[in-house]
PDB file of all heavy atoms in Angstrom:
ATOM      1  N   PHE B 953       6.387  -7.415 -14.855  1.00  0.00           N
ATOM      2  CA  PHE B 953       7.765  -7.982 -14.853  1.00  0.00           C
ATOM      3  C   PHE B 953       8.737  -6.900 -15.115  1.00  0.00           C
ATOM      4  O   PHE B 953       9.918  -6.997 -14.671  1.00  0.00           O
ATOM      5  CB  PHE B 953       7.823  -9.087 -15.955  1.00  0.00           C
ATOM      6  CG  PHE B 953       7.571 -10.424 -15.348  1.00  0.00           C
ATOM      7  CD1 PHE B 953       6.314 -10.839 -14.997  1.00  0.00           C
ATOM      8  CD2 PHE B 953       8.607 -11.293 -15.105  1.00  0.00           C
ATOM      9  CE1 PHE B 953       6.090 -12.046 -14.461  1.00  0.00           C
ATOM     10  CE2 PHE B 953       8.423 -12.501 -14.516  1.00  0.00           C
ATOM     11  CZ  PHE B 953       7.136 -12.922 -14.235  1.00  0.00           C
ATOM     12  N   ARG B 956       9.439  -5.758 -11.775  1.00  0.00           N
ATOM     13  CA  ARG B 956      10.033  -6.838 -11.023  1.00  0.00           C
ATOM     14  C   ARG B 956      11.512  -7.019 -11.327  1.00  0.00           C
ATOM     15  O   ARG B 956      12.340  -7.172 -10.452  1.00  0.00           O
ATOM     16  CB  ARG B 956       9.291  -8.161 -11.301  1.00  0.00           C
ATOM     17  CG  ARG B 956       9.766  -9.230 -10.454  1.00  0.00           C
ATOM     18  CD  ARG B 956       9.233 -10.615 -10.828  1.00  0.00           C
ATOM     19  NE  ARG B 956       9.573 -11.662  -9.866  1.00  0.00           N
ATOM     20  CZ  ARG B 956       9.392 -12.942 -10.010  1.00  0.00           C
ATOM     21  NH1 ARG B 956       8.716 -13.369 -11.110  1.00  0.00           N
ATOM     22  NH2 ARG B 956       9.833 -13.830  -9.174  1.00  0.00           N
ATOM     23  N   ILE B 957      11.870  -6.893 -12.608  1.00  0.00           N
ATOM     24  CA  ILE B 957      13.230  -7.045 -12.996  1.00  0.00           C
ATOM     25  C   ILE B 957      14.097  -5.987 -12.413  1.00  0.00           C
ATOM     26  O   ILE B 957      15.157  -6.225 -11.881  1.00  0.00           O
ATOM     27  CB  ILE B 957      13.344  -7.053 -14.599  1.00  0.00           C
ATOM     28  CG1 ILE B 957      12.722  -8.339 -15.128  1.00  0.00           C
ATOM     29  CG2 ILE B 957      14.783  -6.852 -15.023  1.00  0.00           C
ATOM     30  CD1 ILE B 957      12.528  -8.333 -16.646  1.00  0.00           C
ATOM     31  N   VAL B 958      13.598  -4.731 -12.480  1.00  0.00           N
ATOM     32  CA  VAL B 958      14.336  -3.625 -11.937  1.00  0.00           C
ATOM     33  C   VAL B 958      14.582  -3.831 -10.431  1.00  0.00           C
ATOM     34  O   VAL B 958      15.735  -3.680  -9.927  1.00  0.00           O
ATOM     35  CB  VAL B 958      13.579  -2.291 -12.132  1.00  0.00           C
ATOM     36  CG1 VAL B 958      14.142  -1.189 -11.292  1.00  0.00           C
ATOM     37  CG2 VAL B 958      13.540  -1.924 -13.616  1.00  0.00           C
ATOM     38  N   GLU B 960      14.283  -6.698  -8.484  1.00  0.00           N
ATOM     39  CA  GLU B 960      14.949  -7.891  -8.038  1.00  0.00           C
ATOM     40  C   GLU B 960      16.384  -7.951  -8.478  1.00  0.00           C
ATOM     41  O   GLU B 960      17.257  -8.540  -7.755  1.00  0.00           O
ATOM     42  CB  GLU B 960      14.163  -9.136  -8.463  1.00  0.00           C
ATOM     43  CG  GLU B 960      12.811  -9.211  -7.780  1.00  0.00           C
ATOM     44  CD  GLU B 960      12.212 -10.644  -7.747  1.00  0.00           C
ATOM     45  OE1 GLU B 960      12.886 -11.625  -8.208  1.00  0.00           O
ATOM     46  OE2 GLU B 960      11.043 -10.717  -7.275  1.00  0.00           O
ATOM     47  N   THR B 961      16.736  -7.311  -9.574  1.00  0.00           N
ATOM     48  CA  THR B 961      18.167  -7.253  -9.906  1.00  0.00           C
ATOM     49  C   THR B 961      18.898  -6.319  -8.903  1.00  0.00           C
ATOM     50  O   THR B 961      19.991  -6.729  -8.468  1.00  0.00           O
ATOM     51  CB  THR B 961      18.404  -6.657 -11.329  1.00  0.00           C
ATOM     52  OG1 THR B 961      17.764  -5.418 -11.462  1.00  0.00           O
ATOM     53  CG2 THR B 961      17.858  -7.649 -12.381  1.00  0.00           C
ATOM     54  N   ARG B1043      10.957 -26.194 -18.350  1.00  0.00           N
ATOM     55  CA  ARG B1043      11.136 -24.825 -17.831  1.00  0.00           C
ATOM     56  C   ARG B1043      11.574 -24.846 -16.382  1.00  0.00           C
ATOM     57  O   ARG B1043      12.483 -24.118 -15.975  1.00  0.00           O
ATOM     58  CB  ARG B1043       9.838 -24.050 -17.953  1.00  0.00           C
ATOM     59  CG  ARG B1043       9.824 -22.650 -17.325  1.00  0.00           C
ATOM     60  CD  ARG B1043      10.881 -21.766 -17.909  1.00  0.00           C
ATOM     61  NE  ARG B1043      11.274 -20.656 -17.017  1.00  0.00           N
ATOM     62  CZ  ARG B1043      12.523 -20.260 -16.838  1.00  0.00           C
ATOM     63  NH1 ARG B1043      13.504 -20.794 -17.577  1.00  0.00           N
ATOM     64  NH2 ARG B1043      12.823 -19.279 -16.010  1.00  0.00           N
ATOM     65  N   GLU B1050      19.036 -21.648 -13.292  1.00  0.00           N
ATOM     66  CA  GLU B1050      19.175 -20.200 -13.190  1.00  0.00           C
ATOM     67  C   GLU B1050      19.262 -19.770 -11.746  1.00  0.00           C
ATOM     68  O   GLU B1050      20.063 -18.865 -11.365  1.00  0.00           O
ATOM     69  CB  GLU B1050      17.995 -19.533 -13.876  1.00  0.00           C
ATOM     70  CG  GLU B1050      18.014 -19.739 -15.402  1.00  0.00           C
ATOM     71  CD  GLU B1050      16.624 -19.583 -15.985  1.00  0.00           C
ATOM     72  OE1 GLU B1050      15.755 -19.015 -15.342  1.00  0.00           O
ATOM     73  OE2 GLU B1050      16.436 -20.050 -17.147  1.00  0.00           O
ATOM     74  N   ALA B1069      22.280 -12.493 -13.597  1.00  0.00           N
ATOM     75  CA  ALA B1069      21.635 -13.796 -13.583  1.00  0.00           C
ATOM     76  C   ALA B1069      20.177 -13.661 -13.219  1.00  0.00           C
ATOM     77  O   ALA B1069      19.344 -14.410 -13.736  1.00  0.00           O
ATOM     78  CB  ALA B1069      22.414 -14.661 -12.601  1.00  0.00           C
ATOM     79  N   THR B1070      19.892 -12.733 -12.313  1.00  0.00           N
ATOM     80  CA  THR B1070      18.477 -12.479 -11.952  1.00  0.00           C
ATOM     81  C   THR B1070      17.709 -12.011 -13.171  1.00  0.00           C
ATOM     82  O   THR B1070      16.586 -12.432 -13.456  1.00  0.00           O
ATOM     83  CB  THR B1070      18.388 -11.522 -10.798  1.00  0.00           C
ATOM     84  OG1 THR B1070      19.122 -12.019  -9.662  1.00  0.00           O
ATOM     85  CG2 THR B1070      16.981 -11.203 -10.454  1.00  0.00           C
ATOM     86  N   SER B1071      18.326 -11.091 -13.911  1.00  0.00           N
ATOM     87  CA  SER B1071      17.622 -10.547 -15.097  1.00  0.00           C
ATOM     88  C   SER B1071      17.322 -11.633 -16.096  1.00  0.00           C
ATOM     89  O   SER B1071      16.296 -11.710 -16.638  1.00  0.00           O
ATOM     90  CB  SER B1071      18.568  -9.464 -15.696  1.00  0.00           C
ATOM     91  OG  SER B1071      18.028  -8.949 -16.913  1.00  0.00           O
ATOM     92  N   VAL B1072      18.364 -12.463 -16.316  1.00  0.00           N
ATOM     93  CA  VAL B1072      18.210 -13.595 -17.209  1.00  0.00           C
ATOM     94  C   VAL B1072      17.054 -14.483 -16.835  1.00  0.00           C
ATOM     95  O   VAL B1072      16.132 -14.809 -17.584  1.00  0.00           O
ATOM     96  CB  VAL B1072      19.490 -14.455 -17.316  1.00  0.00           C
ATOM     97  CG1 VAL B1072      19.207 -15.793 -17.985  1.00  0.00           C
ATOM     98  CG2 VAL B1072      20.547 -13.658 -18.040  1.00  0.00           C
ATOM     99  N   HIS B1073      17.099 -14.829 -15.539  1.00  0.00           N
ATOM    100  CA  HIS B1073      16.048 -15.738 -15.001  1.00  0.00           C
ATOM    101  C   HIS B1073      14.616 -15.115 -15.216  1.00  0.00           C
ATOM    102  O   HIS B1073      13.713 -15.794 -15.629  1.00  0.00           O
ATOM    103  CB  HIS B1073      16.286 -15.973 -13.509  1.00  0.00           C
ATOM    104  CG  HIS B1073      15.177 -16.613 -12.811  1.00  0.00           C
ATOM    105  ND1 HIS B1073      14.669 -17.869 -13.194  1.00  0.00           N
ATOM    106  CD2 HIS B1073      14.328 -16.270 -11.824  1.00  0.00           C
ATOM    107  CE1 HIS B1073      13.667 -18.238 -12.420  1.00  0.00           C
ATOM    108  NE2 HIS B1073      13.482 -17.260 -11.578  1.00  0.00           N
ATOM    109  N   LEU B1074      14.464 -13.820 -14.855  1.00  0.00           N
ATOM    110  CA  LEU B1074      13.146 -13.237 -14.895  1.00  0.00           C
ATOM    111  C   LEU B1074      12.707 -13.054 -16.359  1.00  0.00           C
ATOM    112  O   LEU B1074      11.504 -13.238 -16.630  1.00  0.00           O
ATOM    113  CB  LEU B1074      13.174 -11.902 -14.186  1.00  0.00           C
ATOM    114  CG  LEU B1074      13.388 -12.076 -12.660  1.00  0.00           C
ATOM    115  CD1 LEU B1074      13.369 -10.702 -11.988  1.00  0.00           C
ATOM    116  CD2 LEU B1074      12.320 -12.962 -12.036  1.00  0.00           C
ATOM    117  N   LYS B1075      13.616 -12.734 -17.232  1.00  0.00           N
ATOM    118  CA  LYS B1075      13.172 -12.552 -18.644  1.00  0.00           C
ATOM    119  C   LYS B1075      12.738 -13.869 -19.252  1.00  0.00           C
ATOM    120  O   LYS B1075      11.829 -13.955 -20.023  1.00  0.00           O
ATOM    121  CB  LYS B1075      14.326 -11.908 -19.432  1.00  0.00           C
ATOM    122  CG  LYS B1075      14.470 -10.405 -19.146  1.00  0.00           C
ATOM    123  CD  LYS B1075      15.597  -9.738 -19.894  1.00  0.00           C
ATOM    124  CE  LYS B1075      15.630  -8.279 -19.554  1.00  0.00           C
ATOM    125  NZ  LYS B1075      16.914  -7.577 -19.987  1.00  0.00           N
ATOM    126  N   LYS B1076      13.481 -14.946 -18.878  1.00  0.00           N
ATOM    127  CA  LYS B1076      13.052 -16.236 -19.374  1.00  0.00           C
ATOM    128  C   LYS B1076      11.737 -16.680 -18.768  1.00  0.00           C
ATOM    129  O   LYS B1076      10.896 -17.241 -19.459  1.00  0.00           O
ATOM    130  CB  LYS B1076      14.151 -17.321 -19.065  1.00  0.00           C
ATOM    131  CG  LYS B1076      15.401 -17.189 -19.876  1.00  0.00           C
ATOM    132  CD  LYS B1076      16.276 -18.429 -19.774  1.00  0.00           C
ATOM    133  CE  LYS B1076      17.411 -18.410 -20.818  1.00  0.00           C
ATOM    134  NZ  LYS B1076      18.056 -19.737 -20.927  1.00  0.00           N
ATOM    135  N   SER B1077      11.562 -16.383 -17.472  1.00  0.00           N
ATOM    136  CA  SER B1077      10.290 -16.705 -16.843  1.00  0.00           C
ATOM    137  C   SER B1077       9.137 -15.947 -17.575  1.00  0.00           C
ATOM    138  O   SER B1077       8.121 -16.571 -17.818  1.00  0.00           O
ATOM    139  CB  SER B1077      10.317 -16.321 -15.373  1.00  0.00           C
ATOM    140  OG  SER B1077      11.177 -17.102 -14.631  1.00  0.00           O
ATOM    141  N   LEU B1078       9.354 -14.704 -17.799  1.00  0.00           N
ATOM    142  CA  LEU B1078       8.334 -13.924 -18.481  1.00  0.00           C
ATOM    143  C   LEU B1078       7.992 -14.476 -19.841  1.00  0.00           C
ATOM    144  O   LEU B1078       6.822 -14.660 -20.160  1.00  0.00           O
ATOM    145  CB  LEU B1078       8.782 -12.464 -18.597  1.00  0.00           C
ATOM    146  CG  LEU B1078       7.849 -11.572 -19.441  1.00  0.00           C
ATOM    147  CD1 LEU B1078       6.455 -11.510 -18.848  1.00  0.00           C
ATOM    148  CD2 LEU B1078       8.438 -10.132 -19.553  1.00  0.00           C
ATOM    149  N   ARG B1079       9.064 -14.854 -20.578  1.00  0.00           N
ATOM    150  CA  ARG B1079       8.792 -15.419 -21.929  1.00  0.00           C
ATOM    151  C   ARG B1079       7.890 -16.641 -21.813  1.00  0.00           C
ATOM    152  O   ARG B1079       6.961 -16.848 -22.548  1.00  0.00           O
ATOM    153  CB  ARG B1079      10.090 -15.731 -22.635  1.00  0.00           C
ATOM    154  CG  ARG B1079       9.862 -16.536 -23.931  1.00  0.00           C
ATOM    155  CD  ARG B1079      11.171 -16.854 -24.594  1.00  0.00           C
ATOM    156  NE  ARG B1079      11.866 -15.651 -25.003  1.00  0.00           N
ATOM    157  CZ  ARG B1079      12.957 -15.721 -25.822  1.00  0.00           C
ATOM    158  NH1 ARG B1079      13.351 -16.871 -26.290  1.00  0.00           N
ATOM    159  NH2 ARG B1079      13.579 -14.605 -26.135  1.00  0.00           N
TER     160      ARG B1079
END
Side-chain angles (χ1 to χ4, degrees):
Chain B
F953 267 75
R956 186 188 185 187
I957 290 168
V958 169
E960 295 201 5
T961 54
R1043 174 61 204 140
E1050 293 157 18
T1070 300
S1071 176
V1072 166
H1073 168 60
L1074 294 179
K1075 284 176 180 169
K1076 287 195 170 190
S1077 292
L1078 174 58
R1079 170 180 298 190

